[in-house]
C-alpha cells in the first residue's frame, strides 16, 4: 500500500505479531486510508459489490451441500432444496436474485467509472482488473444458469457452447473439451458445476488485486482532480464505512423486495421444465444481464462475424483507458462527452431490449418500414444493428476523437477549492464567525 502507516502497536503481543506478520497494521491502514472527502453515492457500489460477492459465496456453498450435479439428479435435487431443506427456498432465492443484483451493481459501478473517467491514468490497471472480474462474473453466471438442468439451462448451454465452436480451426475442439463430449449432456453439467464452484474464488482473488491497485493511487473522485493536500481527504473509517454501510442497507431493501415478493420475476419459466433435448424452447434467451451482448451477436447474420463482434464488444471495455484521449477525467467538465455517454447508456438498454426479443418478432405487428434490404429482417434486427453500430462508434470513434477536439469547462484546482471559493464560504484561513452574544 502507498503512504505512511499510522499504526503504533500498543501491547507486547501486538508488537510480537507486527514484527512477524503485520496483519493488524494492514487492517488499521485500510481503515485509516485517506479517502477524498467529496465521494458521492455512486462510489458506494464497490462496497455493495463486495457484499454481493460474499452473499453469493455463502449461499452457493450451502446450496452445494444439497445439490446433486448429475444429469439424472440435478433437477430433482433443486426441488428438494426448495421443499425439504430447512429454509432451502430462501437460500436458493437469495442466490438466484443475488446474481441479478450483483450485475445491477456491477453495471452501475462500470458506468460510474466511465462517467467519472476512473479508468484514466494512473488507474488503468485497476480498470483492467475490474474488466477481468466482469468477464469471470459472466462466465460464472452462465455456468450457474446451467446447473438447475431445466430446459432453458440445457438449450442456453447448447447455444453458448456452439458460439465457441464458430472459432475457426480450434473452435470445435474447444467445444468438445468444454462440454465433455460431442453434445451438451450430463458430463457438461458436472464440469460446469466444478467451474461454477471455482470461479467465485478467482473473482475473490481478483477483487483482492483490484483493492490493492486502488490503494496505490487512491480513489479518484467526482471532480476528477488529484488529491493535493491532507485537507482534501478524510479517513476511510468512520466516514465511508458508515456511508457504504447505509448504501448496503438500502440495497438490501431492494434485494429483499425481489427475494420475498417476486423471486421468479428474473428467472425463466421454461426452466421449470426438466432439460429435454427433443424440445427446443420457443425463445432461447440468456439472463437479462447478458442480453446486450446477445443482441450484438445476432445483429450480424454470419455466425463467425457475430462471434467476433461479441468478443470485440467486450474487448472495447478492456481497451477504454487506451482509447480515451481526453486530459480531463470527469465528464462533469465535458458537456459533449456527457451527451454521448448518456446516449451510450440508452444504447445499451436498447441492445438489451432487442436481445430479449426474437429476430422474427415485430415491435409493432405489421410494421415493416425498416425492411429495406431483406424482407426477412424486421425492426428488432435493424434496431440491434443501429444500436450495435453506436456501441462500437462510441468506443472506437467518439471517445478517441472527442478527447482531442472538445473544449472542456474549467476544472477546479483542488477538491477543496469549489467549496472554499463558494460566495457563502468564509475567506481562506478565516475561522467560523463568532456567535452573537445576547
Ligand atoms: C466483484 C466485483 C467488484 C468489486 C467487489 C469491486 C470493488 C471495488 C471497490 C470496493 C472500489 C472502491 C470504492 C468505489 O470506488 O466504488 C472499486 C473501485 C473501482 N472499481 Fe471496482 N469492483 C468490482 C468490479 C469492477 C469492474 C467490473 C470494474 C470495471 C470494469 C471496476 C472498476 C473500478 C474502478 C475504475 C475503480 C476506481 C474508482 C475511482 O476511485 O474512481 N470494478 N471497486
Amino acid at each position: 500500500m502507498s503512504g505512511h502507516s499510522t499504526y503504533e502497536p500498543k501491547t507486547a503481543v501486538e508488537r510480537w505479531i507486527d514484527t512477524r506478520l503485520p496483519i493488524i497494521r494492514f487492517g488499521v491502514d485500510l481503515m485509516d486510508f485517506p479517502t477524498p472527502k467529496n465521494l458521492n453515492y455512486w462510489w458506494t457500489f464497490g462496497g455493495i459489490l463486495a457484499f454481493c460477492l460474499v452473499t453469493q459465496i455463502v449461499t452457493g456453498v450451502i446450496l452445494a451441500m444439497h445439490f446433486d450435479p448429475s444429469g439424472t439428479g440435478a433437477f430433482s435435487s433443486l426441488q428438494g432444496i426448495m421443499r425439504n431443506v430447512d429454509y432451502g427456498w430462501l437460500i436458493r432465492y437469495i442466490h438466484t436474485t443475488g446474481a441479478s443484483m450483483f450485475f445491477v451493481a456491477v453495471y452501475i459501478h462500470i458506468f460510474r467509472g466511465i462517467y467519472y473517467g476512473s479508468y484514466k491514468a494512473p488507474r488503468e490497471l485497476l480498470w483492467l482488473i475490474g474488466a477481468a472480474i466482469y468477464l469471470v462474473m459472466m462466465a460464472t453466471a452462465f455456468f450457474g444458469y446451467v446447473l438447475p438442468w431445466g430446459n432453458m439451462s440445457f438449450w442456453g448451454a447448447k447455444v453458448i457452447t456452439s458460439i465457441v465452436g464458430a472459432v475457426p480451426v480450434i473452435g470445435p475442439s474447444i467445444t468438445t473439451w468444454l462440454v465433455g463430449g460431442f453434445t451438451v449432456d450430463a458430463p457438461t453439467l458436472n464440469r460446469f458445476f466444478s467451474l461454477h464452484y471455482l470461479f467465485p474464488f478467482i473473482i475473490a482473488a481478483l477483487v483482492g488485486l483490484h483493492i490493492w491497485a486502488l490503494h496505490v493511487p487512491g480513489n479518484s473522485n467526482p471532480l476528477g482532480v488529484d488529491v493535493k493536500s491532507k485537507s482534501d481527504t478524510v479517513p476511510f473509517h468512520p466516514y465511508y464505512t458508515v456511508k457504504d454501510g447505509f448504501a448496503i442497507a438500502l440495497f438490501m431493501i431492494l434485494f429483499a423486495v425481489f427475494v420475498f415478493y417476486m423471486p421468479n420475476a428474473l428467472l425463466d419459466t421454461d426452466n421449470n421444465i426438466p432439460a429435454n433435448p427433443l424440445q427446443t424452447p420457443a425463445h432461447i434467451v440468456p439472463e437479462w444481464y447478458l442480453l446486450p451482448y446477445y443482441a450484438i451477436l445476432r445483429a450480424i447474420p454470419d455466425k463467425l462475424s457475430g462471434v467476433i463482434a461479441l468478443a470485440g464488444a467486450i474487448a472495447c471495455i478492456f481497451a477504454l483507458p487506451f482509447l480515451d484521449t481526453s486530459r480531463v477525467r470527469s465528464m462533469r467538465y465535458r458537456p459533449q462527452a456527457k451527451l454521448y455517454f448518456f446516449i451510450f447508456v440508452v444504447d445499451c438498454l436498447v441492445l438489451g431490449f432487442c436481445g430479449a426479443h426474437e429476430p422474427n418478432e415485430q415491435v409493432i405487428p405489421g410494421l415493416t418500414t425498416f425492411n429495406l434490404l431483406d424482407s426477412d429482417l424486421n425492426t428488432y434486427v435493424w434496431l440491434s444493428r443501429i444500436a450495435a453500430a453506436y456501441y462500437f462508434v462510441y468506443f472506437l470513434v467518439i471517445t478517441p476523437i472527442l478527447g482531442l477536439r472538445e473544449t472542456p469547462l474549467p476544472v477546479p484546482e483542488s477538491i477543496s477549492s469549489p467549496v472554499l471559493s463558494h460566495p457563502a464560504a468564509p475567506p481562506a484561513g478565516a475561522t467560523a464567525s463568532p456567535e452573537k452574544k445576547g
Side-chain angles (χ1 to χ4, degrees):
M1 257 194 321
S2 65
H4 182 71
S5 176
T6 52
Y7 173 66
E8 291 284 341
K10 287 189 193 69
T11 60
V13 178
E14 279 185 37
R15 253 191 310 279
W16 189 88
I17 296 174
D18 196 51
T19 46
R20 285 156 182 86
L21 178 71
I23 191 159
I24 306 177
R25 177 180 299 277
F26 179 72
V28 170
D29 290 349
L30 273 184
M31 286 297 123
D32 280 350
F33 191 70
T35 312
K37 60 184 179 185
N38 61 338
L39 298 188
N40 58 29
Y41 272 98
W42 299 115
W43 261 261
T44 59
F45 280 87
I48 290 174
L49 281 165
F51 162 77
C52 289
L53 180 62
V54 172
T55 307
Q56 288 309 92
I57 291 181
V58 170
T59 51
V61 167
I62 300 173
L63 285 175
M65 294 171 187
H66 304 278
F67 178 69
D68 171 4
S70 71
T72 44
F75 189 86
S76 52
S77 75
L78 268 185
Q79 302 308 312
I81 288 172
M82 295 297 284
R83 291 154 201 257
N84 303 331
V85 174
D86 286 343
Y87 294 101
W89 60 271
L90 182 59
I91 301 287
R92 181 173 180 225
Y93 280 150
I94 293 177
H95 198 74
T96 53
T97 308
S100 279
M101 299 305 286
F102 206 161
F103 277 94
V104 168
V106 91
Y107 282 128
I108 295 177
H109 192 65
I110 293 175
F111 282 121
R112 182 287 312 261
I114 299 178
Y115 183 84
Y116 290 111
S118 293
Y119 51 80
K120 291 178 78 69
R123 296 182 185 80
E124 300 94 325
L125 260 183
L126 170 62
W127 177 266
L128 289 176
I129 297 167
I133 294 175
Y134 174 52
L135 198 63
V136 184
M137 269 177 71
M138 289 196 284
T140 311
F142 164 63
F143 293 139
Y145 192 59
V146 176
L147 301 185
W149 214 229
N151 213 23
M152 193 58 93
S153 303
F154 180 84
W155 287 94
K158 271 212 169 266
V159 171
I160 304 290
T161 52
S162 81
I163 290 176
V164 183
V167 176
V169 189
I170 51 168
S173 316
I174 296 180
T175 311
T176 310
W177 173 77
L178 191 67
V179 304
F182 297 109
T183 185
V184 171
D185 208 338
T188 319
L189 171 65
N190 217 252
R191 59 188 57 201
F192 280 14
F193 175 63
S194 169
L195 294 175
H196 185 66
Y197 209 132
L198 171 70
F199 277 25
F201 296 98
I202 296 181
I203 297 177
L206 287 170
V207 168
L209 286 181
H210 192 63
I211 308 286
W212 186 8
L214 173 75
H215 279 79
V216 176
N219 282 93
S220 180
N221 62 82
L223 302 181
V225 294
D226 291 332
V227 166
K228 298 272 158 48
S229 66
K230 205 166 176 281
S231 67
D232 286 343
T233 64
V234 287
F236 184 77
H237 177 74
Y239 294 95
Y240 288 110
T241 40
V242 170
K243 189 167 180 167
D244 283 1
F246 178 63
I248 291 172
L250 291 183
F251 187 78
M252 283 168 80
I253 295 176
L254 177 70
F255 201 138
V257 168
F258 274 94
V259 170
F260 293 107
Y261 292 99
M262 37 186 165
N264 290 305
L266 299 165
L267 302 177
D268 204 298
T269 44
D270 271 305
N271 240 16
N272 295 319
I273 304 168
N276 184 351
L278 300 177
Q279 185 196 356
T280 317
H283 285 189
I284 303 181
V285 276
E287 293 290 78
W288 68 265
Y289 37 81
L290 301 179
L291 289 173
Y293 296 114
Y294 195 49
I296 292 177
L297 173 79
R298 292 191 311 186
I300 303 174
D302 172 56
K303 193 171 175 187
L304 179 59
S305 312
V307 173
I308 293 171
L310 171 67
I314 298 171
C316 284
I317 298 175
F318 278 87
L320 183 58
F322 314 102
L323 293 170
D324 187 352
T325 50
S326 169
R327 277 179 298 117
V328 173
R329 220 178 257 144
S330 173
M331 286 193 194
R332 225 179 237 197
Y333 306 102
R334 303 180 58 199
Q336 277 177 289
K338 200 191 278 191
L339 175 71
Y340 290 115
F341 168 78
F342 285 122
I343 299 175
F344 175 69
V345 175
V346 174
D347 187 67
C348 291
L349 295 174
V350 170
L351 278 173
F353 175 73
C354 292
H357 292 87
E358 284 293 298
N360 54 7
E361 264 179 70
Q362 281 172 349
V363 182
I364 301 166
L367 179 79
T368 50
T369 14
F370 289 101
N371 295 1
L372 301 175
L373 298 178
D374 184 337
S375 58
D376 287 343
L377 296 181
N378 75 356
T379 325
Y380 281 118
V381 176
W382 283 103
L383 203 56
S384 51
R385 283 185 182 176
I386 296 164
Y390 183 79
Y391 183 98
F392 287 106
V393 167
Y394 179 76
F395 281 106
L396 303 176
V397 181
I398 297 174
T399 302
I401 295 180
L402 194 64
L404 298 173
R405 295 184 66 95
E406 77 181 334
T407 316
L409 302 174
V411 177
E413 237 160 63
S414 73
I415 290 174
S416 303
S417 60
V419 181
L420 296 178
S421 62
H422 194 273
T431 48
S433 56
E435 270 179 22
K436 275 197 182 143
K437 297 213 170 82

